[in-house]
Amino acid sequence: MAEAERIIGTPDVGDGAEPEPTAPKGRRRIAALLVVAVLAYLIDLGSKMVVVAKLEHHRPIEVVGDLLKFEAIRNPGAAFGFGEAFTIIFTCIAATVIVVIVRLARKLYSLPWAIALGLLLGGALGNLTDRIFRSPGVFRGAVVDFIAPAHFAVFNLADSAIVCGGILIVLLSFKGLDPDGTVHED
């Protein structure tokens, strides 16, 4: 096939044979994923324990005047309090995210992807723990939120880990870096 006729993004194979897939180089990054996930989870869990013990049923703490407060709120819904009647669905979504990340970990050779997926995993586990173990009951529990910026939704550190992991995944995708460590330009 002439170079001008080749479809952009397809391999240039002169003899018509399929190119052999290359195995990822380096070592798997499962340990990095687990370390980031455990750290994110423990920091979230610890912060929620402090909030429940010291802040719940008390006045909000002004951190930066009216711009940022710490205020204990139980959120049975999703972001911005939407979907309060769908707590069980959010629980299933979090469990599905965890299963997908665990399955993807077998093919994980990229450290940036390990960090991103570790943040997602730790955050999902943090909010899933609330959904399972907090009142009003198993799979219907309300998430403890406490970071309250002015004119924005109240959130927690698990939510922050999920958002940071998601942003990192988008950036890695735009850069063409795959979880297995390969880089592509298409």
Side-chain angles (χ1 to χ4, degrees):
M1 178 182 324
E3 184 64 30
E5 296 175 13
R6 188 169 65 85
I7 298 173
I8 296 174
T10 59
D12 187 15
V13 182
D15 61 0
E18 292 291 320
E20 290 187 32
T22 57
K25 294 180 180 168
R27 59 176 193 210
R28 287 190 193 156
R29 301 299 182 167
I30 297 171
L33 179 144
L34 292 176
V35 166
V36 171
V38 167
L39 283 174
Y41 176 73
L42 291 176
I43 291 169
D44 176 66
L45 184 63
S47 68
K48 289 175 180 175
M49 290 172 67
V50 169
V51 165
V52 169
K54 303 288 185 187
L55 189 58
E56 198 166 51
H57 308 299
H58 292 85
R59 297 187 62 183
I61 297 172
E62 291 184 0
V63 178
V64 183
D66 287 338
L67 294 176
L68 179 64
K69 298 178 186 178
F70 288 157
E71 179 178 9
I73 292 177
R74 298 288 181 118
N75 180 5
F80 302 100
F82 291 123
E84 291 181 15
F86 301 106
T87 304
I88 292 175
I89 293 172
F90 299 133
T91 304
C92 292
I93 291 170
T96 301
V97 166
I98 292 165
V99 169
V100 168
I101 292 171
V102 168
R103 288 184 54 105
L104 184 59
R106 295 179 297 152
K107 301 175 185 176
L108 187 61
Y109 287 86
S110 165
L111 182 60
W113 270 96
I115 293 168
L117 292 174
L119 288 168
L120 280 178
L121 181 59
L125 285 169
N127 284 339
L128 183 61
T129 300
D130 283 357
R131 300 266 183 222
I132 292 173
F133 296 108
R134 297 207 187 268
S135 63
V138 177
F139 300 118
R140 297 180 295 121
V143 173
V144 174
D145 288 334
F146 62 94
I147 303 169
H151 313 295
F152 195 72
V154 181
F155 59 95
N156 58 45
L157 295 178
D159 298 333
S160 298
I162 291 168
V163 168
C164 291
I167 290 170
L168 185 53
I169 286 171
V170 169
L171 293 174
L172 293 172
S173 296
F174 277 128
K175 289 188 80 171
L177 181 62
D178 289 335
D180 68 359
T182 58
V183 179
H184 56 85
E185 295 183 22
D186 54 343

